[in-house]
Amino acid sequence: MAILTSIQDALSSVPRGTLISATLTAAAVIYGTVLGIYRLYFSPLAKFPGPKLAALTQWYETYYEIAKSHEGGFRGGQFTFQIKKLHEKYGPIVRINPHELHVDDPDYYEVVYSMSQSFDKMKVFQHRFNMGYSTFPTPESPIHKGRRAALAPFFAKRKILGHGPFMQSQMDRICERISDEYAGKDRVLVLNDVFGCLTSDVITNLAFAKSHNFIERPNFQSAFGSAIKDMVYTAHWATQFGWIIPMMNAMPDSVVGYFSPIFKTVLEFRREMDRQVRDLLQSEKRGVRKASRTTIFDEILNSKLPPPELSQTRLQNEAMSMVGAGIETTKWAFTVGCFHILANPAILQRLREELKEAIPDPAKIPSWGDLEHLPFLAACVEESLRLSYGTVQRSPRINHDGVFQYKDWIIPAGVPVGMDTYHMHHNEAVFPDSHAYKPERWLGNPRGPDGTKPLSRYITAFSKGTRMCIGINMAYAELYLGIASLFRRFELQLFETDLSDVIFAQDMVSPQPKPTSKGVRVLVVS
């Protein structure tokens, strides 16, 4: 009793604020210590190889995604490269943070991204682009299945083939402008911007039957393209610090734009998608259909989705996701492909010869269905997709109903397991000299390392499985029509552009080159 009395007397002399602070600090230290011990020694993932620091704290990933400096003088977007180093050190399966595993084995990809089983996504990635109610980031597979089913009819290959003439008309107008404004005039053309305008106008027309006519803008400047690029540069912050998006949504747009200028274009993009959806819903309510053809959102509104799935907020999220995805990755595939074709004279000559033979009149570009049968053009498209990746950040899957098994490793139910396109497309056993642009690797019905599987099975630019990119056919159509039109009609020459302008330097969910890049710039010789 005397000891307790002494302790009470000592504590009573300590200021109340100091006592509370000390108690909270002690509790935090104890909690952190216990949590650390659990993660390192008692977690279901404790047996898996990987650095102890990654197992101990999420700050390991945060450092590489936000703070790690690159030799090019910029910071962040380096975790995918670090994961590759971890695989080189620890083997094909690695624990990359306290909760998640990553696998580097091309033959395991179709297990994680299965067509026969539906797995969940991680909730931590759901709201990073502030469009968490759209189909793409939906964590729960049953909800995703319903949302995807509403969209799928529009993106069937037959439907996209039907939209081919419209896509070609957009490319024709771009070519008219290039001929009038750039050909033979020593005026620099930025291909990133050209393709950003093309993809922006195509997806907004197909979504809403409304064009923003970005292909008519001076210097091919697309406001949507700029917004999407600004958006991807905020993704890691929003993922690592989950309070950012809710806080931003609670503030007036004017305040957010003032304190964070990078969000200004994003906010305008969000407002525009909101206006588009509001107009659509009001027209639907009045029974007035303005569109002359069926659009993506017509398919959604006419689907079997329940009323809550057709709310203003959810459809606005769907619009942002659909338009954003329809712009960024296809634009980059165009840009990367055109650079490599122009940087390799033998490839350029072979492509132009094939196009000239197949297209005697450059004013009459064949349909996507016909262009697919040109072997070297098809090879260039595949190689462009391989080196542009689609998205590069891992996209983990969660099997709640059973275990994943990788070789002798039993992965417990509920553990996120991820793979990524960067690792897949640079596996030297599958793609020798993987960093080189070699369309010839796609000629002659090539096979994978086992000599049986088609090499195309290892292309994951659109992911695979039940959550495979729904816009795959649209992207292929744009790439075939765009590349064929450009290289059949014009002689282009790179201008102050080199490999560093297309090399993947930052993982901002989508691959980004060095921040100082001015894009793939060309002169139109004729």
Side-chain angles (χ1 to χ4, degrees):
M1 291 294 293
I3 294 175
L4 291 175
T5 301
S6 298
I7 292 174
Q8 289 175 344
D9 290 342
L11 291 176
S12 65
S13 64
V14 179
R16 186 176 181 83
T18 302
L19 186 60
I20 291 173
S21 297
T23 302
L24 292 175
T25 300
V29 170
I30 293 170
Y31 173 78
T33 301
V34 171
L35 180 63
I37 292 172
Y38 169 78
R39 286 176 171 176
L40 288 174
Y41 302 106
F42 299 102
S43 163
L45 301 187
K47 62 184 178 181
F48 290 92
K52 295 298 184 185
L53 188 59
L56 186 65
T57 174
Q58 183 66 31
W59 286 101
Y60 180 86
E61 177 183 336
T62 302
Y63 167 72
Y64 284 98
E65 295 289 41
I66 291 174
K68 177 70 169 70
S69 60
H70 183 275
E71 61 185 15
F74 52 86
R75 294 180 179 274
Q78 301 300 301
F79 195 46
T80 294
F81 301 110
Q82 178 61 15
I83 292 173
K84 193 162 185 65
K85 293 178 181 177
L86 296 181
H87 281 298
E88 291 169 359
K89 181 176 181 179
Y90 294 101
I93 187 167
V94 177
R95 185 183 185 183
I96 60 172
N97 62 37
H99 318 289
E100 186 184 343
L101 299 174
H102 191 277
V103 175
D104 181 16
D105 184 336
D107 290 320
Y108 197 66
Y109 195 92
E110 291 180 1
V111 175
V112 177
Y113 305 92
S114 171
M115 282 299 298
S116 59
Q117 289 181 276
S118 298
F119 302 126
D120 287 359
K121 284 187 172 184
M122 292 181 72
K123 290 185 177 180
V124 71
F125 295 122
Q126 182 177 6
H127 294 285
R128 59 185 167 181
F129 292 121
N130 205 8
M131 53 183 83
Y133 302 109
S134 62
T135 301
F136 175 74
T138 302
E140 304 87 354
S141 60
I143 298 176
H144 171 269
K145 183 178 180 180
R147 291 173 176 174
R148 184 183 176 95
L151 292 166
F154 186 89
F155 290 98
K157 187 169 184 177
R158 177 179 56 82
K159 283 283 189 76
I160 297 300
L161 281 167
H163 292 295
F166 163 71
M167 296 182 191
Q168 185 61 57
S169 72
Q170 301 296 103
M171 194 63 206
D172 288 344
R173 177 56 190 145
I174 286 174
C175 290
E176 287 177 12
R177 286 196 58 197
I178 292 174
S179 181
D180 294 342
E181 301 173 30
Y182 293 87
K185 297 182 179 180
D186 290 329
R187 184 179 176 189
V188 175
L189 180 67
V190 183
L191 293 182
N192 310 55
D193 296 338
V194 173
F195 298 133
C197 288
L198 173 66
T199 53
S200 296
D201 279 343
V202 167
I203 188 60
T204 52
N205 264 281
L206 298 185
F208 301 107
K210 178 181 178 181
S211 176
H212 289 77
N213 287 320
F214 289 121
I215 60 174
E216 301 292 347
R217 301 292 174 90
N219 300 315
F220 292 102
Q221 293 295 309
S222 163
F224 282 5
S226 299
I228 301 306
K229 186 165 185 177
D230 289 343
M231 188 185 299
V232 300
Y233 273 89
T234 67
H236 292 316
W237 286 91
T239 301
Q240 301 299 323
F241 304 102
W243 48 266
I244 289 179
I245 294 297
M247 182 187 72
M248 186 182 80
N249 288 339
M251 299 167 63
D253 286 356
S254 57
V255 175
V256 175
Y258 177 80
F259 285 104
S260 184
I262 195 173
F263 276 109
K264 286 183 178 179
T265 58
V266 178
L267 293 169
E268 179 52 40
F269 174 58
R270 186 173 71 175
R271 285 192 292 268
E272 177 58 25
M273 292 300 98
D274 201 52
R275 284 192 291 268
Q276 297 272 21
V277 170
R278 189 184 304 112
D279 290 347
L280 184 76
L281 291 177
Q282 288 174 352
S283 298
E284 182 76 11
K285 188 175 182 180
R286 294 196 303 267
V288 178
R289 212 178 80 83
K290 298 178 181 179
S292 59
R293 62 177 182 272
T294 301
T295 68
I296 296 171
F297 279 88
D298 286 329
E299 294 282 1
I300 296 175
L301 293 173
N302 293 328
S303 70
K304 296 179 181 180
L305 286 174
E309 289 288 291
L310 304 177
S311 68
Q312 169 81 22
T313 298
R314 206 200 78 76
L315 293 184
Q316 184 256 18
N317 278 206
E318 197 72 88
M320 288 184 67
S321 175
M322 193 66 60
V323 173
I327 295 172
E328 180 66 13
T329 53
T330 309
K331 177 188 81 172
W332 187 239
F334 265 125
T335 303
V336 170
C338 287
F339 168 81
H340 284 290
I341 292 167
L342 291 170
N344 292 273
I347 293 174
L348 175 61
Q349 181 179 352
R350 186 170 179 179
L351 176 62
R352 294 193 69 182
E353 287 175 354
E354 181 180 77
L355 292 175
K356 188 173 182 179
E357 181 179 347
I359 312 173
D361 183 355
K364 297 178 180 178
I365 302 298
S367 69
W368 165 38
D370 290 332
L371 291 172
E372 282 185 306
H373 298 295
L374 301 182
F376 199 69
L377 173 61
C380 288
V381 169
E382 291 300 319
E383 193 70 344
S384 299
L385 287 168
R386 189 182 69 83
L387 287 181
S388 61
Y389 311 108
T391 58
V392 282
Q393 190 179 40
R394 70 201 189 278
S395 182
R397 298 291 186 264
I398 304 171
N399 184 355
H400 287 293
D401 301 322
V403 301
F404 283 121
Q405 180 167 356
Y406 176 67
K407 296 184 177 180
D408 294 331
W409 296 96
I410 303 298
I411 302 169
V415 172
V417 181
M419 299 179 72
D420 64 74
T421 303
Y422 177 69
H423 284 75
M424 288 291 291
H425 289 189
H426 288 299
N427 187 291
E428 291 293 325
V430 179
F431 300 109
D433 198 8
S434 67
H435 290 274
Y437 186 87
K438 292 185 173 182
E440 59 271 19
R441 74 172 84 239
W442 297 102
L443 299 174
N445 193 25
R447 301 286 162 173
D450 64 358
T452 302
K453 292 180 183 177
L455 190 61
S456 58
R457 289 275 290 273
Y458 297 95
I459 281 285
T460 58
F462 299 100
S463 188
K464 289 186 183 293
T466 59
R467 293 176 181 259
M468 184 177 186
C469 175
I470 202 167
I472 180 173
N473 290 319
M474 185 174 72
Y476 268 114
E478 289 176 303
L479 287 166
Y480 272 95
L481 294 171
I483 292 174
S485 298
L486 199 65
F487 286 100
R488 178 61 184 93
R489 292 170 172 172
F490 300 104
E491 181 182 347
L492 307 175
Q493 185 180 87
L494 290 172
F495 174 80
E496 295 183 3
T497 299
D498 59 34
L499 190 60
S500 68
D501 291 299
V502 295
I503 284 291
F504 166 37
Q506 282 185 295
D507 169 4
M508 295 298 172
V509 182
S510 63
Q512 299 296 325
K514 60 184 182 183
T516 56
S517 174
K518 295 180 180 180
V520 173
R521 297 178 291 168
V522 301
L523 295 175
V524 184
V525 179
S526 62

